[in-house]
Amino acid sequence: MRPMTSPLLLSPSPCRLLRRLFSRAPRRRNPTTPRPLAPNLGRRLPASMSSSSARTPGSVVADADALARKVAAIRAAGPAKLQVIADFDGTLTRYWYDGSRGQSSHGLLRQGNEEFDAKREALFEHYHPIEINPDIPLPEKARLMEEWWGKTHGLLIEGGLTQEAIKKSVADAAIAFRDGVVELFEFLEARDIPVLVFSAGLADIIEEVFRQKLHRSFKNIKIVSNRMVFNEEGCLVAFKGKTIHVLNKNEHSLDMAAPVHDSLGDPNGSIDDYSLVKKRTNVLLLGDHIGDLGMSDGLNYENRIAAGFLNTNIEKSLKDYSEAFDIVYLNDAPMRGVVELVSDLCP
């Protein structure tokens, strides 16, 4: 990788990320995550992105020049123009949990009714192959995803899902946030940078994960996901607004956004300031699937840095991920690399 000589990198106080991108000699490191890098991956990691800290997993930048230009542009515009868009499962949360695959916010749910849990699992077995089939045209797939989500939501209502069942499901779940997530949220909150957490799952469960696993909320975080309506007895009776599924999880769904509530079933509605969010035309996007890049669809952004978490199948997927994302964090990495990145974007 050749050094860049663009004036963007010759400012009196170049940011830490850019110094690291272009000034470090090759180094080897030992990953500390549960699944090690493949034996021959080390030589594929750009030396400029290797870390001297044993706590920091590896990362890959395919086009360092392009990333440097984006960092400089976003830094020059300032935090008032920046927003963060993040996927939840496998992005904010860890892929591995105590050496095993962690649960997703949707997969952790137990209704307390084995019959309906089994029915939802049967729907997954039927529709998931459709979701991942690349040969099905998108309009047809979108119709089928809408159908799947509708049937699943119907079973949750019919099966008598309660707020207590959600609390117990989260308490018993194998789910945890990545190390460094709180530090990231605190940094962004202190600078009034909004964070939109997009999920095709259930907002009420994600909010309960925030409450139980972080024990706090952040005023700048909004959850964009499917919202439940409970009656006075705490039983699910309906879903609010339009359905958000895997193919429409983007900024067109902003009217479903709402803050993390203090209590489950908070009646507070959707936010009324999403038009102001859309005026923030610099984006830091965080995801763990290439499809997550679509979360910024509907936003007329000027600059977007896409950071991807490649949690498994490193050898098979690294090429595609490094071409799709500006920077790829490997092996279920902690969030500290992203904290460094936002510190460079907003010094």
Side-chain angles (χ1 to χ4, degrees):
M1 184 181 298
R2 64 178 178 82
M4 181 178 173
T5 57
S6 164
L8 291 174
L9 298 181
L10 301 180
S11 59
S13 301
C15 65
R16 292 185 299 277
L17 175 66
L18 302 189
R19 289 202 302 270
R20 187 171 67 254
L21 275 171
F22 299 107
S23 64
R24 278 204 174 160
R27 302 189 66 168
R28 281 295 190 95
R29 44 165 299 282
N30 294 320
T32 58
T33 47
R35 296 296 175 95
L37 289 170
N40 65 339
L41 184 59
R43 64 177 176 267
R44 297 173 61 188
L45 292 176
S48 56
M49 289 305 297
S50 298
S51 171
S52 60
S53 170
R55 298 188 310 163
T56 306
S59 55
V60 173
V61 174
D63 189 341
D65 289 358
L67 177 57
R69 288 191 293 270
K70 292 180 181 182
V71 168
I74 294 175
R75 182 184 174 99
K81 297 288 286 183
L82 179 64
Q83 64 171 297
V84 176
I85 300 173
D87 172 56
F88 185 75
D89 293 308
T91 298
L92 296 180
T93 62
R94 285 161 28 197
Y95 186 86
W96 300 108
Y97 185 93
D98 287 344
S100 300
R101 176 70 172 93
Q103 291 180 298
S104 69
S105 58
H106 208 282
L108 65 82
L109 180 61
R110 297 294 178 265
Q111 289 181 246
N113 185 320
E114 292 184 3
E115 175 189 354
F116 283 89
D117 285 339
K119 287 181 177 180
R120 287 191 293 115
E121 181 63 26
L123 287 178
F124 176 86
E125 296 296 333
H126 174 73
Y127 284 101
H128 182 61
I130 297 173
E131 176 190 353
I132 62 177
N133 187 338
D135 298 324
I136 299 176
L138 279 177
E140 174 66 7
K141 186 180 288 190
R143 182 188 68 79
L144 291 169
M145 294 301 98
E146 185 89 19
E147 181 178 279
W148 180 12
W149 261 248
K151 289 180 179 179
T152 297
H153 290 177
L155 288 174
L156 292 174
I157 296 171
E158 184 183 354
L161 179 66
T162 65
Q163 293 174 336
E164 286 304 313
I166 291 176
K167 292 177 181 178
K168 185 177 188 307
S169 294
V170 172
D172 296 340
I175 190 170
F177 286 94
R178 294 182 187 273
D179 293 341
V181 161
V182 171
E183 184 181 353
L184 174 65
F185 288 164
E186 288 176 342
F187 182 94
L188 297 171
E189 183 181 47
R191 289 154 182 80
D192 293 322
I193 297 171
V195 180
L196 296 174
V197 178
F198 283 80
S199 175
L202 300 166
D204 304 79
I205 294 177
I206 293 172
E207 291 168 352
E208 188 64 21
V209 174
F210 267 85
R211 283 187 288 269
Q212 291 195 28
K213 306 303 180 181
L214 296 186
H215 307 291
R216 60 171 297 181
S217 61
F218 296 86
K219 67 175 188 279
N220 60 320
I221 296 178
K222 304 289 190 291
I223 309 297
V224 186
S225 189
N226 298 291
R227 298 196 163 272
M228 300 175 176
V229 178
F230 296 93
N231 62 18
E232 293 180 356
E233 287 74 40
C235 295
L236 176 65
V237 294
F239 281 82
K240 184 184 301 183
K242 62 187 176 186
T243 300
I244 300 175
H245 54 75
V246 289
L247 294 182
N248 68 352
K249 186 180 72 171
N250 54 49
E251 296 224 5
H252 293 298
S253 303
L254 269 176
D255 58 341
M256 291 291 288
V260 179
H261 301 133
D262 291 331
S263 61
L264 187 58
D266 192 308
N268 185 22
S270 55
I271 63 171
D272 57 6
D273 60 348
Y274 64 87
S275 61
L276 299 178
V277 172
K278 288 189 174 184
K279 292 179 181 178
R280 291 176 173 258
T281 53
N282 289 327
V283 175
L284 172 61
L285 184 148
L286 310 176
D288 70 314
H289 292 289
I290 292 175
D292 288 334
L293 295 171
M295 292 188 298
S296 59
D297 289 353
L299 179 67
N300 186 25
Y301 59 80
E302 296 175 5
N303 301 283
R304 184 189 73 176
I305 293 177
F309 287 86
L310 180 50
N311 298 312
T312 188
N313 296 325
I314 309 294
E315 283 286 337
K316 180 179 178 181
S317 303
L318 180 59
K319 182 178 183 295
D320 289 340
Y321 270 66
S322 61
E323 290 175 354
F325 291 95
D326 295 292
I327 182 168
V328 182
Y329 299 101
L330 304 174
N331 267 355
D332 205 17
M335 195 61 72
R336 295 189 185 95
V338 177
V339 174
E340 269 194 36
L341 177 58
V342 297
S343 298
D344 290 333
L345 296 175
C346 305

